[in-house]
Amino acid sequence: MDFNVHQRGGGHPEPVLFEDTSSPPQMAGSMGGSMGGAPQQSGPTPFQQYGQYMNDPVVANMAMQYGSSLATSGKAYVEQNLDRYIPVSRVKFYFAVTTDYVIHKLLLLLLPFMNKEWGAYSSGNGEPTRHLNSPDLYIPVMGFATYVVVVAVALGSQGKFTPEMLGMTATTAFVWLLIEIGVVQLAMYLVSVTTDIKLFDLAAFSGYKFVHMIVCVVSSMLLGSLGYYVSFIYASSAIVYFLICTLRYIILPDSAEDRIARGSKRRNNLLLLIAFIQPLIIFWLTHHVTYGSDPELPIKKKKF
C-alpha cells in the first residue's frame, strides 16, 4: 500500500494517511507561465452571433420584409375564412345608419299608427339609410344597452340596486332574445314555411322592443305602477302593429295562387307568433321594476 509522505529535513519519511483537499485543484493550463503557453480564449456565444447577424442592415431588411409579407398573408387568410362563418360585410350593412334615419325610425317605432307607407324592403340591396322599413341592428344594440342602464337606475331609486344586477339584467335580456329567435326559427322549420327574412333581420325586429321597454321602465319611475301599465298597453300595441305591417310583405305571399300553393294560414300564424310574442317578453323583462312604492304627487294642502 502506497502512502504520500512529507519530508522532514533528511529524516525518514512519515506516512500520511489523509490527503489535504482544502485547496482547490489547479487546472492544467490555468497559469500560462507554468505550461509554457498563452491562456486559451473561448469564441462568441450563439446569442452574440445572433446579435451580430441582426445588426447587419441586409439581414434586418430581409427579416422586416418577410415579417410584413407573413402578416399580410395571415390577414388575408383570416378575412377569407372569417367571412365564411361570420358575414362581416352584411353585419356592417345593418349598422350603416345616419342620425336622420335613427330619429325617423324611433318615431316610427313609437308612433306606428301614424305611418301610411308600409311596403316590402330589400334586405340585401337597399341600405337602412335609404329605406325606413329596412331593419338595422344599431337601434336594437343601443336600446339593449340603454335598457340595462335604465333598469339599474329604476332599481337604485327603490334601494334594490347591486352591482351584480347589471350583469343579471343584461344576461337575462340577451338569453330571452336568443330564445325568441330560436322559437321563431323552430316554428318556421316545423310548419315548413320559407321566407325571405334573414337571421339578422329577425334579430333586428326582435330587438326593436327594447325601445318600448325603456318607455315602460321610465313611465314606471315617473308615474308609478299606473303609468307602467298604461305605457305597457300602448307599447305592446305599437310593437305588434309595427311588426304586422312590416313583416306581412315578407312573410305573406303576394298573389292568391301563392296563398293556396304555399299555405296562407301557416304564414299568418307565423306572423302572429312573431308579433304577439313581443308583449309577453316586454312584460316579463320590465314588470319587476314596478314593485317599488308609487311616487308621491305634489298636492297643495288647503288652508283653513
Side-chain angles (χ1 to χ4, degrees):
M1 182 173 181
D2 297 332
F3 297 96
N4 294 327
V5 296
H6 292 284
Q7 298 290 339
R8 286 188 178 181
H12 296 284
E14 295 181 357
V16 179
L17 299 180
F18 300 98
E19 183 179 359
D20 185 10
T21 59
S22 61
S23 60
Q26 295 182 356
M27 302 296 296
S30 61
M31 299 178 61
S34 61
M35 299 299 296
Q40 297 181 359
Q41 296 180 356
S42 60
T45 62
F47 295 100
Q48 293 176 348
Q49 294 179 356
Y50 178 77
Q52 293 176 0
Y53 290 145
M54 293 305 298
N55 290 331
D56 190 354
V58 178
V59 177
N61 190 19
M62 292 177 60
M64 291 179 62
Q65 292 180 357
Y66 177 75
S68 177
S69 61
L70 185 64
T72 304
S73 60
K75 180 180 179 181
Y77 176 80
V78 170
E79 290 179 353
Q80 292 176 359
N81 290 270
L82 183 64
D83 196 62
R84 292 182 182 178
Y85 307 100
I86 303 177
V88 180
S89 59
R90 290 182 58 188
V91 173
K92 292 180 180 179
F93 159 78
Y94 287 95
F95 287 92
V97 297
T98 62
T99 304
D100 185 68
Y101 167 83
V102 172
I103 294 175
H104 285 81
K105 193 58 174 285
L106 290 176
L107 292 176
L108 179 62
L109 290 172
L110 297 175
L111 303 171
F113 311 103
M114 301 178 62
N115 186 38
K116 303 299 181 182
E117 297 180 359
W118 301 98
Y121 65 90
S122 177
S123 60
N125 297 324
E127 295 184 358
T129 54
R130 298 178 181 177
H131 201 301
L132 191 60
N133 293 329
S134 300
D136 70 280
L137 289 175
Y138 177 82
I139 293 178
V141 171
M142 293 296 103
F144 175 82
T146 307
Y147 159 76
V148 174
V149 175
V150 170
V151 169
V153 173
L155 294 176
S157 63
Q158 301 174 13
K160 300 178 182 179
F161 175 76
T162 57
E164 292 79 9
M165 293 300 297
L166 288 174
M168 292 178 58
T169 303
T171 303
T172 303
F174 184 71
V175 169
W176 274 106
L177 184 65
L178 294 180
I179 293 175
E180 176 189 350
I181 296 175
V183 168
V184 174
Q185 291 280 7
L186 180 62
M188 294 173 62
Y189 173 78
L190 293 178
V191 300
S192 301
V193 172
T194 304
T195 64
D196 295 332
I197 187 171
K198 309 298 182 183
L199 180 60
F200 289 109
D201 298 347
L202 186 59
F205 287 120
S206 300
Y208 283 140
K209 63 175 165 289
F210 287 111
V211 176
H212 304 84
M213 293 164 60
I214 294 171
V215 173
C216 294
V217 176
V218 173
S219 300
S220 174
M221 294 172 57
L222 299 178
L223 303 175
S225 59
L226 178 61
Y228 168 77
Y229 288 110
V230 172
S231 62
F232 169 74
I233 293 174
Y234 176 80
S236 301
S237 303
I239 189 64
V240 169
Y241 184 82
F242 168 79
L243 290 178
I244 290 178
C245 293
T246 304
L247 295 179
R248 65 179 180 178
Y249 294 97
I250 307 301
I251 297 178
L252 299 181
D254 297 331
S255 61
E257 295 180 357
D258 291 337
R259 291 190 182 98
I260 298 175
R262 302 171 67 180
S264 176
K265 185 176 181 180
R266 289 179 296 178
R267 292 175 176 272
N268 283 327
N269 294 335
L270 178 62
L271 178 59
L272 295 177
L273 173 65
I274 297 175
F276 283 97
I277 201 175
Q278 308 302 320
L280 300 177
I281 299 179
I282 290 176
F283 180 78
W284 181 256
L285 295 178
T286 58
H287 75 285
H288 63 282
V289 300
T290 63
Y291 291 157
S293 59
D294 294 342
E296 296 181 358
L297 298 177
I299 301 176
K300 294 182 180 179
K301 297 183 179 180
K302 294 183 179 180
K303 295 182 179 180
F304 296 99

